[in-house]
Amino acid sequence: MIKNNKYSVLGESGIPIWALREDELFSRLGADIVHGLSTTEAAARLESVGPNAISQSEQTPTWVIFLRQFKSPIVVLLVVAAGLSFAFQEWLDGIAILVVIFINAIIGFYMEFQAQRSMDALKKMVSISVKVFRDGSLSEINSEMLVPGDVIYLEAGDMTPADARLYNSAQMQVDEASLTGESVPVQKASAVLPADTPLAEQSNLLFKGTFVTKGNGWAVVAGTGMNTELGKIAHLVGTSEQAATPLEKKLAGLSNRLIKITVGLVIVIFVVGVIGGKPIVEMLETAIALAVAAVPEGLPIVATLALAQGMLKLARHNVIVRKLSAVETLGGTTVICTDKTGTLTQNKMEVEALASPGGIWAKRDDKTGPPAGRLPKTQYERLLQIAVLCNNADIATQKGEFTEIGDPLETGLLKFALRQGADIAGLRLQYPKISEMPFNSETKIMATLHQTPEGNMVFSKGAAEAILESCQFLVTADTYSPMSQEIRANWLAEAEKMASQGLKVIAGAFKPGGQASEQLDENLVFAGLFGLIDPPREEVPDAIRQCREAGIAVVMVTGDHPATAKAIGRQLGITDADDTDAVLGKDMPDYEELDTTDKSRWIATKIFARVSPKQKLDLVKVFQERKDVVGMTGDGVNDAPALKKADIGIAMGQRGTQVAQEVADMVLRDDSFASIVTAIRQGRVIFDNIRKFVIFLLSCNLSELFVIASVSLLFLHFQLKPLQILFINLVTDVLPALALGVTPGSPAIMSHNPRNPNEPIIDRARWRRIIFYSIILSAGTIGAVYFSHFFIHTGDEWLVQRCNNILFFTLIFSQLFHVFNMGSIEAPFWRTEVVRNPYVWYAIAACIFILIGLYLIEPIRTALSVMPMSAADWAVSIGAGLLAMIIIRLGKHLEFFQNKKL
């Protein structure tokens, strides 16, 4: 909550902010629109009012996280088993089961606590910046550093960082749906409103959390943090528990299914045993053992931790995943629709060529000299004026380095003007801006009206075809000539020629006269073309090659000129040298009008140019109709619908608008296409790891079930005890499963086609594989007991206990060695991702250390009914475990060579 009411909405006079005159407003808020606040004053106000942040809902207390570990059906099953143990005076077993429940809760608590810390760390990486005017210049700061009285600049795509009063705006519209529920953007303008104006009609105020959808404007911050309308609402909103992700639901379903199978198996074995003449107490002990063996300890928690850690790992690779469920979908991506500028290219634009009716200049031709010597002076100066004045960016030089604020295209124009010796600040002071028609993706034109010594003047820039269409004249020598269709076609051809060389082409125009009340982009005079180069990113060609190998189609969807898009596409390998087909936005029918031929053409096309945001949305729909999993990049406010519709919405972190980032599933901090490929690879690795440890845990637990059930149904004279099974699960379940969760991934993981995201974690083929693994593990374990019985301990008076011990230790070693079977069969055994995962070796070493402790500590050994083992006994147990691993490995190779799943 704000600490000082000096800057409150009503203030001491009782007049609300929206009803004040501008001079009263600036006085009330202590604002200086000429120089902005000083750094010292801003720091003092920040100390007074606190950071501009909404108080976060209280985190779940640690004790609640701990108690939550006891809510699962798995714990209920174990409690029932403990109760039965106590009922039959098996005190040690009952206490041990309760201890294991407690230990399992501690492990689950630790994992969930770590996952929560990972998510908190991830949130800290996401910050919103805002353009603020301080110390006489415009700069970008973290929005939490804003204070009342700050002067801020907002444009289309920005999130309003605080409650603020407009004092200068151009065609500004704001989406206030999150605050008022109004679905249509609201027009905003600087004006004095009546004091009794309701919230929804306060058209001169901007509210924290709303989005600018059109235009731009300057405003003075009136309220920050909890002293905003959004802050007031935050007081009324209760916390809600986050819904489980689809993966967590699938894992919970697996656990519940396993419990149901176990209950059924317990009933069958109990009935068969009693009918076979076995004592009821003995059969109840077997039932308890079965119940304990069925529990896959920590399955959902390990998965959640793997997802959270995966998100942190992605963050270290410049990918911020905003939604946990997106990690699951990443690995199934089949199509990436990517923008060109800044994603495939470096977004470092430099003017490479100029073309005016009086001449052409190209930077790469050293013989041409500076542009001032190649173009008529008046035409050259007019192009410089357009570059500087029809421009909302800002730039400064310090020790030869540029500090850029604004759109890269506009900063590229300013850098060019600076290099030609232009005085940017002087020009803007000499030609003050009166009004502006902001650029938007529909008109593809920006125009500004300026006051000049010769009267008002309009300066405009935009897409070549849009500007030429709006021009009725072109400049020639010292006069203007009518723009004929032939001349217009010739200039379009010149723009096409420049674009085919990989240049981004924009046109410049102007118009003497003009009024703020007029349409600024009509009856213009054509001044010439700017050709800007935006070099491709060095890492992108390799990333696109990886996509092709992984079965992922890459589609360039850009608003740029088709010739530029095709030139860049060929350089990067999106299209082949002889593949020059591109679909233009003007040739794309509305989605409702598409026929089968249109859809087939879209799906086969790799480059879409001059595409509008609505056409991006239609393209996503067409791919999704074909059951593709679509990743769509976007940076503008109008891209939000396509980002939201895509299976993976990908926003740009550097040049992306806050609206786009808010609806996206992930944000690229470096804007690079290569980061998308890294994210897809990591998404595949994460899901593959989850599948690995699920298969590992289920095959281990099923092998225990099979051993207990087999011994019982065969009426053998030995059986595993519940306490022994609990120990096995603690040793072989938790640590190896955690190690599998951080496996780096198979080197061949990007050589496979994408998986279907709707397929279950464990499909029928994998269930057959799990059953195969379990049968081998259990058969090897029981086989070791038979071998020991007939070849080593024939006639031993401690035969029953020795058989139990061989059963116990063989099952432990079999499951420990079984972790290596989770590696890929596409690499030699010693080079699989599991064998090369150091955490797997650490886990096995820890398990063996625990095993040695069990054997050496007499009380524990007695509690687990373990007696001294001979070297031959250890050899049998370890040898059987290794044999089971080898058989399973061979079985996997048999499956590989026959191209079928076991």
Side-chain angles (χ1 to χ4, degrees):
M1 181 63 69
I2 197 167
K3 301 178 184 177
N4 190 324
N5 288 326
K6 176 182 178 181
Y7 309 109
S8 63
V9 173
L10 288 175
E12 296 175 359
S13 66
I15 303 174
I17 286 289
W18 58 86
L20 293 173
R21 298 192 312 271
E22 286 188 0
D23 58 336
E24 295 173 329
L25 172 73
F26 302 148
S27 175
R28 161 97 56 95
L29 297 174
D32 182 352
I33 64 169
V34 177
H35 303 98
L37 296 180
S38 67
T39 302
T40 306
E41 174 63 19
R45 294 191 185 189
L46 186 65
E47 178 65 27
S48 172
V49 303
N52 176 34
I54 300 298
S55 298
Q56 297 293 320
S57 57
E58 292 186 8
Q59 288 191 340
T60 307
T62 53
W63 64 270
V64 173
I65 296 175
F66 181 73
L67 290 180
R68 204 154 54 197
Q69 310 308 314
F70 298 94
K71 288 173 59 178
S72 72
I74 290 172
V75 173
V76 173
L77 190 63
L78 287 175
V79 169
V80 170
L84 288 173
S85 297
F86 288 132
F88 291 96
Q89 298 184 351
E90 295 289 342
W91 308 111
L92 190 58
D93 284 353
I95 292 170
I97 293 173
L98 292 180
V99 168
V100 167
I101 292 173
F102 187 74
I103 292 173
N104 197 49
I106 291 174
I107 294 170
F109 164 77
Y110 174 76
M111 292 180 185
E112 188 169 342
F113 185 70
Q114 284 294 102
Q116 189 179 80
R117 286 182 61 185
S118 299
M119 296 303 295
D120 291 342
L122 201 63
K123 289 175 184 176
K124 290 178 183 177
M125 295 180 184
V126 183
S127 62
I128 296 174
S129 61
V130 60
K131 299 182 187 73
V132 62
F133 194 64
R134 286 184 182 175
D135 296 316
S137 63
L138 192 67
S139 60
E140 286 193 17
I141 64 170
N142 189 314
S143 64
E144 292 191 4
M145 307 303 290
L146 279 181
V147 294
D150 260 327
V151 176
I152 58 175
Y153 175 74
L154 298 171
E155 57 188 338
D158 287 344
M159 177 192 287
T160 308
D163 285 2
R165 165 78 183 270
L166 274 172
Y167 69 87
N168 188 4
S169 64
Q171 300 183 18
M172 180 176 270
Q173 291 184 358
V174 177
D175 182 349
E176 295 183 340
S178 59
L179 188 68
T180 65
E182 176 60 57
S183 59
V184 178
V186 179
Q187 194 76 33
K188 295 286 183 176
S190 57
V192 178
L193 301 176
D196 59 353
T197 304
L199 177 71
E201 297 175 16
Q202 292 169 9
S203 59
N204 61 358
L205 289 188
L206 304 174
F207 300 106
K208 183 177 177 67
T210 59
F211 293 105
V212 181
T213 60
K214 183 181 178 183
N216 54 54
W218 292 85
V220 179
V221 174
T224 59
M226 297 301 289
N227 197 33
T228 59
E229 292 300 325
L230 187 63
K232 296 173 187 175
I233 294 172
H235 277 300
L236 308 176
V237 178
T239 59
S240 58
E241 189 171 341
Q242 185 176 358
T245 68
L247 179 65
E248 290 171 325
K249 292 176 182 177
K250 289 175 184 176
L251 291 174
L254 274 177
S255 297
N256 292 335
R257 193 176 307 138
L258 195 59
I259 289 172
K260 290 176 183 177
I261 293 171
T262 303
V263 171
L265 195 58
V266 164
I267 294 172
V268 170
I269 291 176
F270 181 81
V271 171
V272 170
V274 171
I275 293 174
K278 285 202 171 186
I280 292 178
V281 174
E282 184 181 332
M283 292 312 301
L284 281 172
E285 286 184 351
T286 301
I288 293 169
L290 279 167
V292 172
V295 176
E297 279 89 350
L299 187 59
I301 296 298
V302 173
T304 303
L305 185 62
L307 286 174
Q309 291 293 333
M311 292 172 74
L312 264 185
K313 190 170 183 178
L314 283 171
R316 290 193 288 271
H317 288 89
N318 295 313
V319 179
I320 303 296
V321 180
R322 298 176 57 87
K323 301 172 186 176
L324 199 63
S325 57
V327 181
E328 306 168 36
T329 313
L330 269 172
T333 305
T334 58
V335 176
I336 302 173
C337 296
T338 177
D339 190 14
K340 176 185 71 69
T341 304
T343 309
L344 300 175
T345 60
Q346 296 179 22
N347 207 24
K348 296 178 180 178
M349 294 197 179
E350 301 281 352
V351 175
E352 286 283 310
L354 294 179
S356 77
I360 294 176
W361 167 80
K363 182 179 179 181
R364 59 176 166 269
D365 186 353
D366 296 332
K367 297 178 182 179
T368 61
R374 295 291 299 173
L375 276 62
K377 181 180 179 182
T378 54
Q379 296 180 19
Y380 165 69
E381 290 178 347
R382 189 68 77 198
L383 286 173
L384 276 185
Q385 289 175 341
I386 293 168
V388 172
L389 299 175
C390 187
N391 193 318
N392 286 324
D394 204 356
I395 194 167
T397 56
Q398 187 174 10
K399 296 180 180 179
E401 295 292 328
F402 289 115
T403 301
E404 305 172 17
I405 299 175
D407 181 81
L409 185 145
E410 294 195 327
T411 58
L413 292 173
L414 292 185
K415 283 186 289 185
F416 170 74
L418 276 176
R419 290 189 179 113
Q420 307 310 311
D423 179 4
I424 293 174
L427 270 173
R428 288 176 170 177
L429 193 63
Q430 185 181 0
Y431 301 101
K433 183 163 62 175
I434 300 171
S435 66
E436 176 182 334
M437 186 188 85
F439 178 87
N440 70 67
S441 56
E442 300 300 326
T443 63
K444 294 183 171 60
I445 292 177
M446 173 185 178
T448 54
L449 177 64
H450 295 260
Q451 182 181 339
T452 76
E454 296 81 26
N456 288 353
M457 179 79 75
V458 174
F459 297 101
S460 180
K461 72 176 189 297
E465 60 269 30
I467 289 287
L468 283 164
E469 190 63 35
S470 298
C471 288
Q472 299 301 314
F473 305 92
L474 81 161
V475 62
T476 55
D478 296 324
T479 185
Y480 309 143
S481 299
M483 173 74 75
S484 65
Q485 287 297 332
E486 182 183 357
I487 294 173
R488 186 176 285 115
N490 289 339
W491 277 105
L492 284 173
E494 181 63 31
E496 178 86 16
K497 179 182 175 182
M498 293 170 68
S500 66
Q501 298 166 1
L503 298 179
K504 181 178 182 66
V505 182
I506 62 168
F510 65 98
K511 177 174 66 173
Q515 299 296 325
S517 57
E518 297 177 2
Q519 185 70 21
L520 299 183
D521 62 340
E522 293 180 347
N523 301 316
L524 299 176
V525 180
F526 180 73
L529 301 173
F530 297 87
L532 298 95
I533 189 168
D534 185 11
R537 290 177 179 264
E538 293 180 1
E539 70 275 13
V540 169
D542 184 60
I544 289 174
R545 178 190 57 76
Q546 289 183 51
C547 284
R548 284 189 167 185
E549 292 175 356
I552 302 169
V554 179
V555 179
M556 184 194 296
V557 185
T558 179
D560 212 339
H561 195 284
T564 306
K566 287 189 287 186
I568 297 295
R570 284 194 297 272
Q571 290 181 47
L572 296 176
I574 293 176
T575 60
D576 298 325
D578 57 348
D579 181 3
T580 56
D581 185 35
V583 170
L584 297 181
K586 64 183 180 65
D587 299 327
M588 297 174 70
D590 289 340
Y591 178 77
E592 296 74 16
E593 300 172 3
L594 289 172
D595 56 26
T596 306
T597 304
D598 292 326
K599 292 178 180 179
S600 298
R601 184 188 175 205
W602 286 19
I603 288 169
T605 300
K606 292 293 184 287
I607 293 179
F608 293 80
R610 294 298 195 216
V611 174
S612 71
K614 181 184 180 301
Q615 290 164 338
K616 284 187 177 182
L617 177 62
D618 290 346
L619 187 60
V620 171
K621 291 178 181 177
V622 168
F623 278 116
Q624 287 179 334
E625 267 187 21
R626 204 180 64 152
K627 306 301 180 185
D628 278 306
V629 178
V630 183
M632 168 64 78
T633 70
D635 54 8
V637 60
N638 291 331
D639 290 332
L643 291 175
K644 196 169 185 179
K645 175 66 176 171
D647 300 280
I648 296 287
I650 306 165
M652 302 298 109
Q654 294 181 355
R655 61 187 171 86
T657 60
Q658 290 157 1
V659 179
Q661 294 176 14
E662 197 67 20
V663 301
D665 299 293
M666 59 188 247
V667 178
L668 305 182
R669 289 200 292 181
D670 61 356
D671 289 7
S672 174
F673 179 84
S675 294
I676 302 174
V677 180
T678 300
I680 290 174
R681 185 188 188 282
Q682 191 60 34
R684 290 189 177 193
V685 169
I686 291 169
F687 192 86
D688 192 47
N689 287 345
I690 290 172
R691 189 169 258 168
K692 276 184 173 72
F693 68 65
V694 169
I695 292 174
F696 173 74
L697 287 175
L698 291 183
S699 55
C700 287
N701 284 81
L702 275 179
S703 69
E704 294 165 18
L705 286 176
F706 288 169
V707 166
I708 296 167
S710 300
V711 169
S712 180
L713 293 175
L714 292 172
F715 296 97
L716 300 178
H717 56 281
F718 53 87
Q719 181 61 280
L720 284 173
K721 298 180 180 297
L723 193 55
Q724 291 175 329
I725 297 170
L726 286 170
F727 182 85
I728 291 172
N729 284 354
L730 281 177
V731 170
T732 60
D733 274 13
V734 178
L735 295 179
L738 283 172
L740 286 173
V742 293
T743 301
S746 167
I749 199 161
M750 288 297 283
S751 62
H752 301 152
N753 286 332
R755 64 174 179 83
N756 183 349
N758 296 320
E759 73 179 24
I761 299 173
I762 306 298
D763 54 20
R764 289 185 179 181
R766 287 184 174 84
W767 270 116
R768 290 196 296 271
R769 192 183 303 176
I770 288 169
I771 293 170
F772 168 73
Y773 296 162
S774 304
I775 290 172
I776 297 299
L777 292 174
S778 55
T781 301
I782 295 175
V785 177
Y786 271 99
F787 182 87
S788 174
H789 176 74
F790 288 108
F791 294 97
I792 300 177
H793 295 295
T794 305
D796 193 328
E797 60 178 313
W798 299 99
L799 186 59
V800 173
Q801 192 168 347
R802 288 197 185 280
C803 288
N804 169 272
N805 284 187
I806 296 293
L807 195 69
F808 175 54
F809 285 110
T810 304
L811 194 53
I812 288 176
F813 286 116
S814 296
Q815 293 186 359
L816 281 180
F817 296 147
H818 181 51
V819 73
F820 294 114
N821 290 321
M822 299 301 105
S824 168
I825 55 176
E826 295 170 333
F829 176 77
W830 292 108
R831 295 182 62 188
T832 63
E833 68 277 16
V834 174
V835 173
R836 298 176 69 179
N837 180 2
Y839 296 102
V840 167
W841 291 100
Y842 299 154
I844 290 176
C847 290
I848 291 175
F849 181 79
I850 294 170
L851 203 57
I852 292 171
L854 144 74
Y855 191 74
L856 295 180
I857 301 171
E858 181 66 30
I860 299 178
R861 194 170 67 191
T862 303
L864 289 170
S865 305
V866 172
M867 64 185 300
M869 298 261 291
S870 66
D873 293 334
W874 288 115
V876 168
S877 293
I878 295 173
L882 288 171
L883 181 62
M885 181 188 73
I886 292 169
I887 292 173
I888 290 174
R889 184 73 185 175
L890 290 174
K892 291 182 72 172
H893 274 288
L894 183 65
E895 171 192 2
F896 177 73
F897 286 122
Q898 293 185 357
N899 196 26
K900 65 181 181 181
K901 295 179 178 178
L902 293 170

